[in-house]
Amino acid sequence: MTPFPTPLAVLVSGGVDSAVLLAEAVRAGGVVFPLYVEVGSAWEPTEREYLTRFLAAVAAPNLRPLTVFREPIAEVYGPHWSLTGDGVPGSDTPDSAVFLPGRNVILLAKPLLWCHLHGVPALATAPLGSNPFPDATPAFYDGFADIVSRAVNGKVQVLRPYAEQGLHKSDVLNRGVGLPLELTFSCIRPVRGLHCGTCNKCAERRAGFRDAGLPDPTAYATLR
């Protein structure tokens, strides 16, 4: 079991990686605050529904209610596919196709300030060892946390245990055996409350279960 400070905030999205991280933190026994940042992405309504069900399934006395921050990005991104749902990268696209510029700046700013104001010394996130994006490097995470801490004369760490251990999605899925992984959500083009089955993130999800040697419990709108 990964050691966690307490109290601990966990940045959750409803996806497999952050869900397993949250559950591991809850199992460790310390007080855990789940935090979610709403930016206006097209998939967020469905994502929130899954996240609500997952949190209910792993409820424990040390798990606090979900805190939601609103950080709309439309005035920055404009008519971006992540906001409109049009032209969503398909299953045959590379990782670079789903890069959202500055996403971790948006996701970390308010949660780090919240942690400072509520006496929470660390914010745990779930990037993987294979994350290729420039805002997922150790230098970025440590540097951004340091800037925010200096701005408020405080000290809050950003923890990323899976990246530091070099874990891939298949590794995280194996750590999540026994959890209600069917209540996690990874899709960027949901269809009637289901994973579409044809987008970049659905392809990544399928590959993760396959590489982990686990049955995929996900309900997809389109089977491939």
Side-chain angles (χ1 to χ4, degrees):
M1 182 71 69
T2 301
F4 295 101
T6 185
L8 176 73
V10 179
L11 192 60
V12 292
S13 66
V16 166
D17 308 322
S18 64
V20 173
L21 178 62
L22 176 80
E24 289 193 322
V26 171
R27 286 174 176 173
V31 174
V32 179
F33 296 91
L35 309 182
Y36 180 91
V37 181
E38 185 179 284
V39 303
S41 300
W43 57 84
E44 284 178 350
T46 305
E47 182 178 68
R48 283 285 303 279
E49 291 176 7
Y50 276 76
L51 177 58
T52 297
R53 294 198 291 269
F54 184 86
L55 291 173
V58 299
N62 59 317
L63 178 61
R64 297 297 184 258
L66 180 68
T67 296
V68 178
F69 304 102
R70 291 171 179 83
E71 193 70 34
I73 195 65
E75 65 269 34
V76 177
Y77 276 12
H80 192 270
W81 62 262
S82 65
L83 305 182
T84 65
D86 298 326
V88 172
S91 60
D92 57 349
T93 57
D95 287 343
S96 58
V98 294
F99 176 58
L100 300 176
R103 180 165 175 79
N104 282 335
V105 173
I106 300 161
L107 296 183
L108 292 173
K110 282 187 176 179
L112 282 171
L113 290 171
W114 182 93
C115 286
H116 171 76
L117 294 173
H118 289 79
V120 178
L123 173 67
T125 64
L128 301 178
S130 55
N131 193 310
F133 300 137
D135 60 352
T137 65
F140 169 80
Y141 281 114
D142 292 340
F144 194 82
D146 182 60
I147 287 172
V148 175
S149 290
R150 282 190 281 136
V152 294
N153 194 29
K155 184 60 178 177
V156 176
Q157 292 180 289
V158 175
L159 306 180
R160 56 260 182 212
Y162 295 163
E164 291 175 350
Q165 295 172 49
L167 301 187
H168 300 282
K169 191 167 294 290
S170 59
D171 301 313
V172 175
L173 285 167
N174 274 304
R175 290 173 73 134
V177 169
L179 293 173
L181 298 180
E182 70 278 5
L183 301 182
T184 63
F185 188 76
S186 312
C187 181
I188 51 178
R189 186 171 48 200
V191 177
R192 300 183 304 278
L194 302 176
H195 286 77
C196 72
T198 60
C199 72
N200 176 288
K201 301 304 287 185
C202 280
E204 179 185 86
R205 184 182 179 94
R206 289 181 190 274
F209 278 103
R210 183 186 65 242
D211 294 345
L214 299 172
D216 186 349
T218 310
Y220 295 101
T222 299
L223 296 177
R224 284 193 172 185

